Amino acid sequence: MAKHIFVTGGVVSSLGKGLTSASIGMVLERRGLRVRLQKFDPYINVDPGTMSPYQHGEVYVLDDGTETDLDLGHYERFTNSLLNKDSNTTTGKIYLSVIQKEREGSYYDGNTVQVIPHVTDEIKEKIYRLATDDVDLVITEVGGTIGDIESLPFLEAIRQFAQEVGRENCLFIHLTLVPYLKAAGELKTKPTQHSVGQLRQIGIQPDILICRTEHPIPQSDKDKIALFCNVDKKAVIEERDKEFTIYEVPLSLVNNGLDELIVKRLGLKAGSLDIGDWRTLVDRVKKPQHEVTIAVVGKYIKHRDAYKSVYESLDHAGIAHCSRVVIRRIEAEEISSTGAESVLGGVDGILIPGGFGMRGIEGKIEAIRYARANDIPFFGICLGMQCAVIEYARDMLGLDDANSTEFDQDTHHPVISLMADQKDVQERGGTMRLGLWPCVLQEGSLAHKAYGKTEIGERHRHRYEFNNDYRARLAEAGLVASGVSPDGRLVEIVECPANSWFLAVQFHPEFLSKPIKAHPLFRDFVGASLARRTSRRTDPVTN
């Protein structure tokens, strides 16, 4: 029988439940356990696919095309857990399923459909579904903060679940904040006490408390928390803010003995901990040998989580090169108003990430022109590739009004156009080209050199595509389609061989990068940027 860990949060939001859940999963995997992770999100949207990046941050896409919360990116980066459509459940999904069953007329045998038991039963079914014979441990993160009305059905469901399978098979971990009051010069444990008190009123007694803090927690305060929250003293875990990298979190949890607490409490048959490569990774972050500056020109720069996986993937590439990656976050509209040189001068590489809508497009196109004209390593992702095609068509083919039909339906030169199978699509949610799709690479191309093979699979999230009517003309002008779908119909990668490193992709490679294994394209992009920085420093003409 699979064991279960439920991770909740209190006091304030954004404490890092997802990162903590991922770290727990990673450490237990490194002890030989088979782990699955899932996230319960209390919002009523069916999924985050239609939500603004300013509201929700990044939409993370899985192999099966499921659009999910960005915390699932942490799960995949830290663990080898198999994630699919069952790994992210929202209130919207739960109610949609319940209502569909009610409309069928026979499922509930004519009973009044209620939150208890029908909604909570639907939630519990999601937990049971992951506890298959090939899994030792299921980790379930409950989104939101204790006290939020939206989270109550999920909390009631996990309370019932623990009662059904037995408390010996379940463990509750509660993540809280222990704030430091500068005026008083001391840490305050009362918010944690109140948060646990609310949890206990619901009927859940946490087994372990992980206390986020900016300052060390004295043993006397830990003892106080343990006493008033009814947990063992050893189960009060200090989790201090990390100075260098989030990848220190698993090591911190190990140093605090969390993995041993979990193994003993659940009676898990675990092996010894093998985490040497992770320690090496963290050492590389703390002691970089080089530094490189990458400009990320986007539309949602003000929200740090809007490009979460892109930033993480750049860090992974930096680790691979023993380098610190300094990310210069630039709003695309700023380039339109002040010019590319004023905001991009001195960078070693330029990356254009994905996005939707017209705002900032001309700024992105200007940034791409600047990169190409100055032979600065350039990496375009999704919308970044589409903008690269538009820029090249305008500048090198003389098609001044070249555009995407997403931005100008009346353009005379739609070098980017709506995909054929999207023309009759009416609903917006979950209807794009989503998930893992194959791609064939041209031998000798930058992409082929990076991957080291001719066939790859990458995750997509888009409605518009490269217009093949312009493929031959662009190729003659020097923009080569170096990656295409197996049937040759869809252009997935374009390169400009005239430049030292100029590559753009229709897919999202950031979703397949890991700290231990940087994505090949991010790795080579940062490598090219580092080489440019090195050559500029040693070139006597530029010194």
Side-chain angles (χ1 to χ4, degrees):
M1 181 178 181
K3 306 287 186 174
H4 294 266
I5 294 176
F6 297 101
V7 180
T8 57
V11 184
V12 295
S13 59
S14 301
L15 285 179
K17 293 190 301 297
L19 183 57
T20 299
S21 299
S23 298
I24 293 169
M26 189 275 277
V27 170
L28 294 175
E29 269 193 352
R30 295 305 187 93
R31 295 196 62 168
L33 297 169
R34 300 167 298 175
V35 177
R36 293 287 297 276
L37 292 101
Q38 67 176 333
K39 170 81 181 286
F40 286 157
D41 271 311
Y43 53 76
I44 298 177
N45 303 66
V46 173
D47 58 47
T50 58
M51 296 172 70
S52 165
Y54 290 116
Q55 284 279 319
H56 186 268
E58 168 187 86
V59 175
Y60 190 82
V61 179
L62 304 179
D63 280 356
D64 64 1
T66 304
E67 295 173 294
T68 74
D69 182 80
L70 59 84
D71 278 329
L72 274 75
H74 289 312
Y75 300 170
E76 285 204 324
R77 286 188 282 272
F78 279 66
T79 76
N80 296 311
S81 175
L82 176 65
L83 302 183
N84 56 31
K85 61 182 177 62
D86 296 323
S87 303
N88 193 194
T89 298
T90 67
T91 296
K93 280 185 180 179
I94 294 296
Y95 275 90
L96 182 63
S97 178
V98 169
I99 290 170
Q100 287 174 337
K101 290 176 180 178
E102 185 273 333
R103 292 288 83 189
E104 291 173 9
S106 60
Y107 193 87
Y108 295 118
D109 296 324
N111 290 318
T112 301
V113 180
Q114 298 176 294
V115 173
I116 300 173
H118 304 108
V119 170
T120 52
D121 282 351
E122 192 76 22
I123 295 170
K124 286 185 291 183
E125 193 274 331
K126 299 291 186 182
I127 304 172
Y128 281 114
R129 187 177 296 180
L130 291 192
T132 52
D133 292 339
D134 59 342
V135 174
D136 299 314
L137 183 69
V138 176
I139 301 174
T140 301
E141 175 194 350
V142 181
T145 306
I146 298 303
D148 293 346
I149 193 170
E150 294 92 344
S151 301
L152 288 176
F154 291 102
L155 296 170
E156 171 61 19
I158 65 175
R159 184 198 68 78
Q160 293 178 18
F161 184 87
Q163 190 176 41
E164 291 174 7
V165 303
R167 282 293 275 118
E168 70 277 9
N169 295 311
C170 292
L171 186 145
F172 292 101
I173 296 178
H174 191 52
L175 191 66
T176 73
L177 176 70
V178 179
Y180 178 80
L181 293 187
K182 187 176 180 180
E186 60 184 4
L187 293 165
K188 291 296 181 181
T189 66
K190 192 64 71 176
T192 291
Q193 295 176 45
H194 281 306
S195 181
V196 172
Q198 285 186 300
L199 199 57
R200 292 168 70 183
Q201 287 178 8
I202 295 167
I204 296 173
Q205 169 62 53
D207 301 288
I208 296 172
L209 298 178
I210 298 179
C211 302
R212 284 292 307 276
T213 177
E214 296 177 348
H215 298 269
I217 303 176
Q219 188 59 49
S220 58
D221 282 348
K222 291 183 181 179
D223 293 345
K224 184 178 180 181
I225 291 170
L227 177 64
F228 283 95
C229 297
N230 195 30
V231 299
D232 190 275
K233 291 180 180 180
K234 293 181 179 179
V236 179
I237 305 294
E238 175 187 292
E239 183 52 53
R240 223 178 307 170
D241 293 353
K242 298 297 173 281
E243 179 182 356
F244 293 98
T245 174
I246 60 172
Y247 301 123
E248 291 182 85
V249 174
L251 303 182
S252 174
L253 296 179
V254 168
N255 293 339
N256 280 284
L258 180 61
D259 59 314
E260 199 60 38
L261 274 173
I262 293 171
V263 168
K264 288 182 178 179
R265 169 64 177 77
L266 291 176
L268 294 164
K269 296 180 180 178
S272 57
L273 183 65
D274 180 10
I275 204 170
D277 57 347
W278 205 269
R279 295 189 187 279
T280 300
L281 177 153
V282 172
D283 285 341
R284 281 191 170 195
V285 175
K286 291 182 175 181
K287 302 171 184 176
Q289 299 176 15
H290 314 285
E291 183 176 285
V292 62
T293 300
I294 303 295
V296 176
V297 182
K299 300 169 59 121
Y300 319 114
I301 292 296
K302 292 178 182 177
H303 195 304
R304 290 181 63 89
D305 284 343
Y307 303 117
K308 182 66 174 176
S309 291
V310 169
Y311 297 149
E312 292 298 312
S313 298
L314 287 170
D315 284 344
H316 303 165
I319 293 168
H321 289 285
C322 299
S323 301
R324 183 168 80 97
V325 177
V326 177
I327 299 174
R328 188 184 296 182
R329 297 172 174 85
I330 298 171
E331 284 282 356
E333 290 174 297
E334 184 181 351
I335 295 177
S336 297
S337 59
T338 63
E341 177 63 38
S342 64
V343 291
L344 295 173
V347 302
D348 305 308
I350 297 173
L351 186 150
I352 309 287
F356 299 91
M358 179 64 193
R359 185 180 62 81
I361 293 301
E362 294 304 321
K364 290 191 174 193
I365 290 172
E366 191 172 340
I368 294 167
R369 183 177 296 114
Y370 180 82
R372 192 168 58 80
N374 293 280
D375 198 20
I376 300 171
F378 167 75
F379 190 13
I381 296 174
C382 196
L383 179 61
M385 180 191 118
Q386 295 173 7
C387 288
V389 173
I390 294 169
E391 189 280 325
Y392 208 90
R394 289 180 183 180
D395 197 56
M396 301 302 289
L397 294 182
L399 307 178
D400 293 339
D401 74 334
N403 217 325
S404 166
T405 54
E406 180 183 5
F407 315 131
D408 182 4
Q409 292 192 358
D410 298 322
T411 177
H412 292 97
H413 297 289
V415 293
I416 303 295
S417 58
L418 187 66
M419 300 182 73
D421 57 5
Q422 291 285 317
K423 291 180 179 178
D424 296 325
V425 171
Q426 299 297 320
E427 292 187 359
R428 297 289 92 181
T431 56
M432 286 185 274
R433 185 177 186 237
L434 293 164
L436 195 75
W437 292 87
C439 175
V440 178
L441 306 180
Q442 181 185 100
E443 291 192 18
S445 63
L446 289 175
H448 179 250
K449 292 175 183 176
Y451 286 99
K453 52 187 177 181
T454 55
E455 293 187 17
I456 61 169
E458 291 282 0
R459 296 176 184 176
H460 293 67
R461 186 175 184 252
H462 63 105
R463 296 186 192 280
Y464 292 81
E465 65 176 333
F466 185 107
N467 188 341
N468 282 318
D469 290 344
Y470 294 86
R471 189 163 161 180
R473 292 174 65 184
L474 285 165
E476 289 175 5
L479 190 68
V480 178
S482 62
V484 297
S485 57
D487 61 5
R489 186 174 64 88
L490 299 176
V491 173
E492 303 278 26
I493 307 175
V494 296
E495 299 181 18
C496 181
N499 287 64
S500 57
W501 210 95
F502 187 103
L503 183 147
V505 300
Q506 184 58 72
F507 46 82
H508 288 269
E510 67 269 27
F511 295 151
L512 292 180
S513 185
K514 289 178 178 282
I516 297 290
K517 188 178 181 181
H519 189 283
L521 295 182
F522 276 93
R523 181 200 63 215
D524 283 12
F525 167 61
V526 169
S529 301
L530 187 61
R532 182 177 190 273
R533 182 184 183 93
T534 302
S535 65
R536 288 169 62 204
R537 288 191 168 187
T538 57
D539 186 349
V541 175
T542 60
N543 284 345

